[in-house]
Amino acid sequence: MFGPRLRFGAFIAPFHPVDENPTLALERDLELVEHMERLDYDEAWFGEHHSAGYELIASPELFIAAAAQRTKRIRLGTGVSSLPYHHPLMLADRINQLDHMTRGRVMFGVGPGALVSDAFMMGIPVAKQRDRMDEALEVLIRLMRGEEVTHKSDWFELWQARLQMTPYSRPSVEIAVASQVSPTGARAAGRHGAGLLSLGATGTAAFNALASNWNIACEQAAEHGQTMDRSAWRLVGPMHIAETREQAMADARFGLEKWIYYFKEIANLPIVPEGPDPVQALIDSGTAVIGTPDDAAARIQQLVDQSGGFGCFLLMDHNWAPWEAKKRSYELIARYVFPKFQQLNENRQASMDWVGANKGEFTGQTMAAMGARIAQHIAEKGAENIRPEFAALVAGAAAPKKD
């Protein structure tokens, strides 16, 4: 019996340096999703950001609509919709519409909002973002299931609110809650029985918190009559893969400094380790894999062991490498890492081993069959045109068979 099939995808914030044409950058993001579908990736998630210049997708719903027209199978998610920024009915209606337009391929990732600057521009107190996310999620769950909701809050109101269309996906679209080191996301996921989207899972603090956050989610689920599903747990981490470690490191130096500058000086998110050589620091800390397919597989196995098992690994998309090298990295992962976690070659290997173990028997039968046909020809037409080296085959075919 085969075990669970680990899924693969990408978490596309995206991260585009400010010296590039933003129109073309967004176009490459769409091309990446098409490339991923050709390579049999399962999922792609798109962020929502409104400031700081790098993460250009303001509306993941618009991006999903465009990507859905270019693809047929890959699932597409909001990664994530920042709930305090939206009236719940408007957001639920847009996601429900996408559920129909994509024939059930849309996934709904939610969070409080990552950039303080976004909340600041909208006059949202940072201290209230997580409380507002919790409150919005309570009503969104019900709306997405087609229920009627009345709810009065200090920042939104719903009066006999109901989606016009019955959800395409039943009971609703899949919902996942973003989580990092703190238990906020895990508690929300558990309370509602939603999926868990563990961002930055390869960083030291987040890696160490994987098992504890899962346990927190399960405890909350039990308290609220819900269950957690490991197949709905997604772990996110950055990788760049090439044929050799040296080539991967050389590729990454193309754009890594700009990515580090954004996280250290602009977004101020603590995911970049310190070190004189940033490439080596990312590798040594385990924050990123910059190496070969074997290196990628080893790190994913560490995540499986540390977490106790999860359903999907999402590459944190970046632009460390030139475009062609980046696409090659996605291809190498699909070719050589997928099979290790999806049991793609177990039957092939078993078949090859079986044939190899019986090679002598099969070769003997083949030679005997060929000899019998040559002997038949000689009996009918004579040996005039038979090459001398075939005589052994004839002798072998005529030899008495042993019991």
Side-chain angles (χ1 to χ4, degrees):
M1 293 292 292
F2 296 121
R5 173 188 178 276
L6 183 66
R7 305 187 307 280
F8 286 84
F11 190 89
I12 303 171
F15 301 111
H16 292 302
V18 295
D19 59 354
E20 291 195 27
N21 184 326
T23 308
L24 299 182
L26 289 170
E27 178 64 25
R28 283 202 310 278
D29 292 332
L30 287 168
E31 290 177 14
L32 177 62
V33 179
E34 294 179 89
H35 183 59
M36 289 173 62
E37 176 159 275
R38 287 191 292 270
L39 294 172
D40 208 28
Y41 281 81
D42 299 279
E43 303 177 358
W45 298 72
F46 313 103
E48 176 190 355
H49 304 88
H50 304 279
S51 60
Y54 260 60
E55 300 173 81
L56 297 181
I57 296 175
S59 171
E61 303 98 326
L62 280 175
F63 201 91
I64 288 171
Q69 292 298 303
R70 298 180 178 216
T71 58
K72 295 180 179 179
R73 182 197 55 79
I74 192 169
R75 300 186 71 202
L76 307 166
T78 62
V80 296
S81 294
S82 301
L83 300 191
Y85 304 169
H86 306 277
H87 190 287
L89 179 62
M90 297 296 97
L91 183 56
D93 226 2
R94 294 197 297 269
I95 297 298
N96 195 43
Q97 179 179 328
L98 279 176
D99 189 29
H100 285 266
M101 291 174 64
T102 63
R103 301 298 194 274
R105 283 195 285 152
V106 72
M107 302 169 292
F108 187 28
V110 303
L115 296 178
V116 173
S117 47
D118 289 355
F120 177 85
M121 290 194 300
M122 289 178 272
I124 299 171
V126 175
K128 291 188 176 181
Q129 282 182 260
R130 281 151 186 80
D131 292 338
R132 291 187 178 186
M133 183 200 79
D134 290 339
E135 186 176 20
L137 186 56
E138 291 279 355
V139 300
L140 277 163
I141 295 280
R142 296 174 60 196
L143 288 170
M144 298 302 297
R145 291 176 177 168
E147 298 177 17
E148 180 185 293
V149 179
T150 294
H151 183 93
K152 184 174 176 61
S153 165
D154 63 352
W155 65 285
F156 72 87
E157 295 184 12
L158 292 167
W159 298 101
Q160 298 179 325
R162 186 195 300 271
L163 299 182
Q164 295 186 93
M165 291 191 292
T166 301
Y168 184 91
S169 300
R170 306 297 171 85
S172 78
V173 300
E174 182 180 0
I175 298 174
V177 184
S179 173
Q180 288 188 297
V181 178
S182 81
T184 301
R187 289 176 61 87
R191 189 162 56 252
H192 300 288
L196 194 59
L197 190 57
S198 294
L199 308 179
T202 51
T204 301
F207 179 83
N208 292 336
L210 287 174
S212 61
N213 273 340
W214 181 255
N215 290 335
I216 289 169
C218 291
E219 290 171 0
Q220 286 288 305
E223 290 178 12
H224 291 82
Q226 305 285 351
T227 57
M228 294 297 295
D229 180 3
R230 284 188 179 271
S231 70
W233 188 10
R234 293 155 173 99
L235 271 57
V236 183
M239 295 185 175
H240 177 72
I241 304 304
E243 283 80 357
T244 66
R245 291 178 182 173
E246 293 75 18
Q247 184 60 56
M249 294 173 74
D251 290 345
R253 297 188 193 281
F254 168 82
L256 182 59
E257 289 285 356
K258 296 176 183 178
W259 183 84
I260 289 175
Y261 175 82
Y262 173 68
F263 276 102
K264 282 191 172 181
E265 305 297 333
I266 307 301
N268 197 31
L269 296 173
I271 73 168
V272 181
E274 297 293 337
D277 179 353
V279 173
Q280 196 63 53
L282 285 170
I283 295 171
D284 291 343
S285 67
T287 301
V289 174
I290 303 173
T292 66
D294 286 342
D295 295 327
R299 187 56 171 157
I300 293 172
Q301 187 60 55
Q302 289 176 338
L303 290 168
V304 171
D305 296 340
Q306 176 72 9
S307 66
F310 57 95
C312 182
F313 180 75
L314 299 175
L315 294 161
M316 177 186 279
D317 187 64
H318 49 72
N319 289 288
W320 299 346
W323 175 235
E324 293 302 324
K326 171 177 171 173
K327 289 194 296 182
R328 178 64 171 164
S329 175
Y330 275 81
E331 179 187 352
L332 289 172
I333 291 171
R335 289 178 65 184
Y336 299 113
V337 180
F338 286 16
K340 296 180 185 295
F341 297 94
Q342 296 179 342
Q343 300 89 43
L344 298 183
N345 289 326
E346 270 75 355
N347 276 16
R348 294 177 69 199
Q349 186 66 53
S351 180
M352 188 170 72
D353 292 345
W354 173 69
V355 174
N358 291 279
K359 181 180 179 182
E361 171 71 17
F362 297 151
T363 300
Q365 292 186 21
T366 300
M367 300 300 282
M370 292 173 61
R373 279 304 181 109
I374 294 170
Q376 180 183 358
H377 177 81
I378 292 174
E380 294 176 357
K381 303 292 185 179
E384 180 180 353
N385 295 316
I386 298 299
R387 296 171 62 88
E389 59 266 31
F390 290 160
L393 294 179
V394 176
K401 303 296 186 292
K402 296 182 180 179
D403 293 335

